Amino acid sequence: MRMKSNAVSRSVFFDLAKRPLGGIAKAVGRVVLAGVVAGLVFSAPALANSKYAGIVVDAKTGKVLYGEDADQLRYPASLTKMMTLYLTFEALEAGRISKSTPVPFSKKAAAEPPSKLGVRAGKSITVEQAVLSLVTRSANDAATALGELLGGSEQRFARMMTNKARALGMTRTTYRNANGLPNTEQKTTARDQARLGLALRQHFPQYYDYFSTRSFRFGKQTIGNHNRLLGNVRGVDGIKTGYTRASGFNLVTSAQLEGRSIVAVVMGGTSGGSRDAQMRKLVAKYMPAASRRGNGNLIAEAPAAPVETVTETAVAAAEAQAVAAAAPVASPASDLPNTGPVPDFRYSGESVTNVEMAYAAAKPASDNPVLAAKAAPNTLDAQGATLARQAAVSADVDTQITNSVAKAEASAGAAARQSADVQPQGWVIQIGATSDKAQAMTLLGNAKEKGGKVLRDATPFTVAFGDGTAQVYRARFGGFDDQNKAVNACKVLKKKGFACWASQQ
């Protein structure tokens, strides 16, 4: 894209230099123009679009086929709605909402600027209508309404979004709203958006077709999709466009053709046309370079947050202890390469031990998911990585919990220790946590009985963390040959009502 803008600049001025001049002006004019041309040509890099960033990832192998400023911070604009939709699909899959669930519009949601549906405050639409409005019109009012429905408030939902971004490995992305309207603190990178595009395809194939919707009927309106590549570029099946004045024109594209598959990102286009033209070039050039081999399971599913009811006093205590004890997330630009392979397309994070302890200690025994005498599979999220809850528990705790276990345990120090159980190496899955080892083993037994063949050869074991006063036993299965088998086992268990996450031991 930069080369294109430079070439255009050069061609314009070279055309001027060739125009006929008369008399003395001919000699003088050519000298002057030659100097101008030379100055412009040699300063061509300054004419490049500083907002541009791009990446193309082989969706089957994770290999980066192309990258330019892929890790530099950019404004996501309406690409933000991809995460809003990820959390919506997650809630649908968990059964917390259905496609027909009403999405009420608050005064704030109804007042959002265009693009929008124009639903009045106090009215509602269905979840499916909201989803369709996001993928086609990129409706800001519907995005805010969805965020308020799922998070209780848009501010809390934004924290849930950032929390989920960390869990998916989007290390440089921060969200502040559900729609992508201007906010100087809301930033991302092309690489992170490629991760999110891959995660949407991989984790929600049952909902992914929404992104290929060309148009849908809303009242008397027929709303068309802003993505002009749909139906015009062979193999393209979505995903999302975005634009604000600060961000430029953004586009995340998924394409699948003849056994090959890519996800490409273009950010900071100078116009919708130039952005689309650049994406066409990237698809045409790099689709043939993509592999036909590979299972495409590049990003392990991050756990969904259970719905819990917690007293405000308990929440405040848990947050205070969590913030004091847990290591902060840090992702300076120097930590990430500008080009090269996408770093570790697996989510290998683990729960933050001291945050679990703080959260456990803050709750009374009668409703404590860690210390309760009777453990239930979905009480404490199996990963322990997102003790988030809908409109009750502050997502500040969630953000701390999804930090890397290495940083967390460094701060926890000697307070964390592993049990003496023999722990299988390789890929493992976790299905719950409880204060009693016997209960953890009972949970494992129930899961193995219901899991069928996917757990036939799996080895149940527990891992203990704590300081002896508030011990937690994590219930896990080991013995999976690869990530694909571990993820598939989790999918089966989720259908049986168990929370589950996969990681490499």
Side-chain angles (χ1 to χ4, degrees):
M1 193 165 185
R2 294 183 178 181
M3 292 302 295
K4 179 180 178 182
S5 63
N6 294 342
V8 169
S9 299
R10 293 172 184 173
S11 66
V12 167
F13 289 103
F14 275 121
D15 285 344
L16 286 172
K18 292 176 183 176
R19 291 183 182 179
L21 297 170
I24 297 175
K26 181 181 290 186
V28 176
R30 290 198 186 281
V31 171
V32 173
L33 280 170
V36 172
V37 170
L40 286 164
V41 169
F42 287 111
S43 64
L47 299 173
N49 177 15
S50 61
K51 293 181 182 180
Y52 177 75
I55 193 170
V56 179
V57 178
D58 187 328
K60 290 195 172 182
T61 67
K63 181 180 179 181
V64 174
L65 305 175
Y66 159 84
E68 184 171 350
D69 289 340
D71 295 304
Q72 300 305 305
L73 291 173
R74 299 288 185 266
Y75 295 117
S78 284
L79 299 187
T80 298
K81 297 182 178 79
M82 291 166 59
M83 181 58 82
T84 301
L85 289 165
Y86 186 101
L87 292 177
T88 300
F89 296 158
E90 188 176 74
L92 283 167
E93 185 179 39
R96 296 200 296 269
I97 58 175
S98 70
K99 293 180 181 180
S100 60
T101 296
V103 181
F105 277 59
S106 65
K107 289 182 179 179
K108 182 183 188 307
E112 297 287 24
S115 295
K116 61 191 295 183
L117 285 179
V119 178
R120 288 181 294 174
K123 301 294 183 180
S124 65
I125 61 176
T126 67
V127 166
E128 184 168 48
Q129 287 174 319
V131 168
L132 288 167
S133 73
L134 263 62
V135 299
T136 56
R137 179 168 286 179
S138 197
N140 293 320
D141 52 355
T144 297
L146 270 176
E148 292 173 342
L149 173 70
L150 296 174
S153 70
E154 189 178 31
Q155 184 179 25
R156 181 168 286 155
F157 184 67
R159 293 198 296 267
M160 291 169 60
M161 295 167 74
T162 302
N163 175 40
K164 183 60 66 176
R166 294 292 183 273
L168 293 173
M170 299 166 63
T171 59
R172 305 210 67 203
T173 296
T174 301
Y175 292 106
R176 288 292 181 260
N177 59 49
N179 47 40
L181 286 169
N183 186 306
T184 56
E185 295 181 353
Q186 182 151 292
K187 293 186 178 182
T188 189
T189 68
R191 192 185 302 269
D192 278 2
Q193 291 304 303
R195 274 185 176 273
L196 182 53
L198 288 164
L200 282 163
R201 271 183 32 171
Q202 179 186 330
H203 298 168
F204 304 111
Q206 70 274 42
Y207 303 122
Y208 182 76
D209 284 349
Y210 279 122
F211 289 105
S212 61
T213 303
R214 302 288 297 280
S215 65
F216 90 105
R217 291 282 299 175
F218 182 72
K220 296 180 180 181
Q221 306 176 64
T222 298
I223 299 175
N225 199 316
H226 288 176
N227 190 347
R228 306 305 180 195
L229 271 60
L230 280 171
N232 293 315
V233 176
R234 191 163 167 250
V236 169
D237 56 19
I239 298 179
K240 190 73 188 71
T241 62
Y243 169 77
T244 64
R245 185 174 299 174
S247 73
F249 290 82
N250 300 338
L251 177 62
V252 177
T253 291
S254 162
Q256 304 182 66
L257 187 64
E258 298 174 351
R260 295 183 171 91
S261 180
I262 61 173
V263 168
V265 181
V266 169
M267 304 188 77
T270 56
S271 68
S274 66
R275 172 201 64 191
D276 293 349
Q278 174 70 352
M279 185 61 77
R280 288 173 187 266
K281 290 180 179 179
L282 293 179
V283 172
K285 181 174 182 179
Y286 294 105
M287 179 68 84
S291 176
R292 286 194 173 98
R293 297 182 179 181
N295 59 26
N297 289 327
L298 302 175
I299 304 176
E301 290 188 64
V307 178
E308 299 180 25
T309 301
V310 186
T311 65
E312 290 300 321
T313 302
V315 171
E319 286 178 343
Q321 294 182 57
V323 171
V329 175
S331 55
S334 58
D335 289 348
L336 295 167
N338 287 333
T339 58
V342 174
D344 191 11
F345 257 101
R346 298 185 305 237
Y347 173 55
S348 57
E350 226 177 273
S351 58
V352 172
T353 302
N354 51 313
V355 178
E356 280 186 355
M357 296 303 106
Y359 184 81
K363 299 193 70 177
S366 59
D367 66 350
N368 194 319
V370 179
L371 303 178
K374 189 173 182 180
N378 289 314
T379 304
L380 179 64
D381 187 275
Q383 183 190 7
T386 53
L387 294 170
R389 63 280 163 242
Q390 192 175 43
V393 181
S394 171
D396 287 339
V397 179
D398 307 339
T399 303
Q400 299 295 334
I401 292 172
T402 52
N403 289 346
S404 148
V405 68
K407 294 180 180 179
E409 291 186 354
S411 65
R417 74 177 192 274
Q418 294 183 339
S419 70
D421 290 345
V422 177
Q423 299 181 29
Q425 299 301 303
W427 281 92
V428 303
I429 62 174
Q430 181 170 308
I431 62 168
T434 176
S435 63
D436 184 83
K437 183 176 180 179
Q439 292 169 5
M441 293 305 296
T442 299
L443 178 59
L444 289 167
N446 293 337
K448 188 153 190 174
E449 181 180 350
K450 294 182 179 181
K453 63 181 182 180
V454 297
L455 295 180
R456 184 175 300 156
D457 299 322
T459 302
F461 67 102
T462 62
V463 178
F465 282 90
D467 58 5
T469 60
Q471 195 86 352
V472 171
Y473 291 89
R474 295 170 180 167
R476 295 179 174 178
F477 286 99
F480 298 97
D481 294 336
D482 53 41
Q483 180 186 15
N484 191 38
K485 291 182 180 179
V487 171
N488 286 340
C490 272
K491 288 181 178 179
V492 171
L493 288 174
K494 286 179 181 179
K495 291 179 181 178
K496 300 292 185 180
F498 293 88
C500 190
W501 65 277
S503 182
Q504 195 168 30
Q505 187 85 330

